[in-house]
Amino acid sequence: MAPDAPRNTNRRTAMPDLSLISAAALFAVSAFAVWQAGARLAYLADALADRFHLGKSIVGLVALSTATSLPEIATTLSAAVKQSQDLVLNNLFGGVALQTAILAMADFWARGAITNYPRSANHALEAALLNLMLGLTIVLLVIGGRWSFGWIGLGSVVIALVYAGAIWLLRRYDRQGGWVPVDLPDFEPGEGPVPGDLHRLPSWRLLSRASAFCALILVFGVGLVISAEAIATQSGLGASFVGVTFLAAATSLPELTTSIAAVRIGAYTLAISNIFGSNLIMIVLVFPADLLYTRGPILHAPTPILFASLGFGILVTSIFLIGLIVRRKPRLGKVGLDSVLVLGAFVASLAVYFALR
């Protein structure tokens, strides 16, 4: 296809060619560094929430999700500068179902179904607003670039405004509270391997450590992206399939490690809000990408794989939304049925992406 030529050229000039062995080595080193930094960042986020008396849902929704989304932010903005529309949109929209599947995988470390633990309806509201934004994005993709301000499409502006409204509503609801479905603990002492000295450290030390781990996630997250892109390119897969699967998986590694670490210490609220918050960020990143993509509105001429990725995002989010509302749900072993269904839907999405590549 004609648009592929400039995209590939920009990629070659933007970074050096890596052999398959070099790319695999870089991926392994970067994955190990991101895994270690992400786990410690989850512990720090939990300690900072207690120190400053912040709701863990808001800390996960805003702070932790932003930190773990740094690789996505770097990848998206870099691809937008390269004028690679396919890579931007497939990486963002494909990451929604993947990151929701990460929450389902974290359920294996929980003491019972993870969606049984939240004490309030905050997470159900987060899931509902995420579905609202996913559905809105589908509508805006159908409309395309009919209305724009210069090269910036009206659709990306609408997404940014709706995201700002969603965060305002979630913060207000978190302060006011609402119905309480089940009073279950968010943390039980001794449940997981929490570093014992964190709660004794001064606040500035906690903040400086959190900043350092955020920097590590950004640097080695970019290393994951570069190596994953090199491995996927040499495998001969199409750009759309690469963006929606392998590259999205590489940039979602911080969410995986922080979610598992949060669940292991009993911070279920933090883990769930981290994933839903990261998915909201994935959608709103369309706006800064549209600012940098100068060939016209970025939500223009969508491919079938984009609609499929958004549809699967709505599907897996809806499954967890039902799980958050229906508390006494069937389990398979100690994993909730909702998590099993989400993993099944994600596997099905991979088959669909491969068929549409």
Side-chain angles (χ1 to χ4, degrees), residues 199-214:
H199 293 283
R200 295 194 297 268
L201 292 177
S203 299
W204 70 269
R205 290 284 298 276
L206 292 176
L207 291 170
S208 61
R209 286 190 181 186
S211 300
F213 287 127
C214 285

Side-chain angles (χ1 to χ4, degrees), residues 122-146:
N122 294 50
H123 300 307
L125 181 58
E126 292 168 6
L129 290 171
L130 176 58
N131 270 348
L132 171 67
M133 292 195 66
L134 290 168
L136 175 63
T137 304
I138 291 177
V139 173
L140 294 172
L141 281 171
V142 172
I143 295 173
R146 288 180 173 83

Side-chain angles (χ1 to χ4, degrees), residues 114-322:
I114 192 172
T115 49
N116 283 345
Y117 280 88
R119 300 183 179 190
S120 69
N122 294 50
H123 300 307
L125 181 58
E126 292 168 6
L129 290 171
L130 176 58
N131 270 348
L132 171 67
M133 292 195 66
L134 290 168
L136 175 63
T137 304
I138 291 177
V139 173
L140 294 172
L141 281 171
V142 172
I143 295 173
R146 288 180 173 83
W147 299 286
S148 62
F149 308 97
W151 70 83
I152 303 169
L154 178 62
S156 63
V157 176
V158 171
I159 287 175
L161 292 175
V162 172
Y163 174 81
I167 296 300
W168 173 84
L169 179 60
L170 287 167
R171 290 190 61 184
R172 181 179 180 183
Y173 187 85
D174 187 69
R175 290 194 299 265
Q176 294 179 349
W179 54 270
V180 180
V182 179
D183 187 17
L184 289 173
D186 185 45
F187 173 75
E188 294 183 8
E191 184 177 344
V194 185
D197 63 333
L198 286 184
H199 293 283
R200 295 194 297 268
L201 292 177
S203 299
W204 70 269
R205 290 284 298 276
L206 292 176
L207 291 170
S208 61
R209 286 190 181 186
S211 300
F213 287 127
C214 285
L216 285 175
I217 287 176
L218 175 60
V219 172
F220 287 99
V222 172
L224 280 173
V225 171
I226 293 174
S227 57
E229 196 173 359
I231 293 171
T233 300
Q234 295 185 40
S235 69
L237 296 171
S240 295
F241 182 74
V242 168
V244 84
T245 54
F246 196 60
L247 189 56
T251 57
S252 295
L253 188 59
E255 284 84 1
L256 175 62
T257 179
T258 52
S259 297
I260 292 176
V263 167
R264 290 181 66 192
I265 63 175
Y268 303 107
T269 294
L270 197 67
I272 297 173
S273 288
N274 176 34
I275 294 300
F276 287 155
S278 295
N279 284 342
L280 285 169
I281 290 174
M282 298 286 275
I283 303 302
V284 79
L285 280 176
V286 168
F287 177 65
D290 204 5
L291 295 177
L292 297 174
Y293 182 78
T294 58
R295 295 182 180 176
I298 199 166
L299 295 176
H300 178 65
T303 60
I305 202 169
L306 284 182
F307 289 111
S309 59
L310 288 168
F312 276 108
I314 293 174
L315 176 61
V316 294
T317 304
S318 298
I319 293 173
F320 267 139
L321 176 58
I322 295 171

Side-chain angles (χ1 to χ4, degrees), residues 23-41:
L26 177 60
F27 187 89
V29 171
S30 299
F32 177 79
V34 167
W35 185 275
Q36 295 296 320
R40 284 158 179 77
L41 189 61

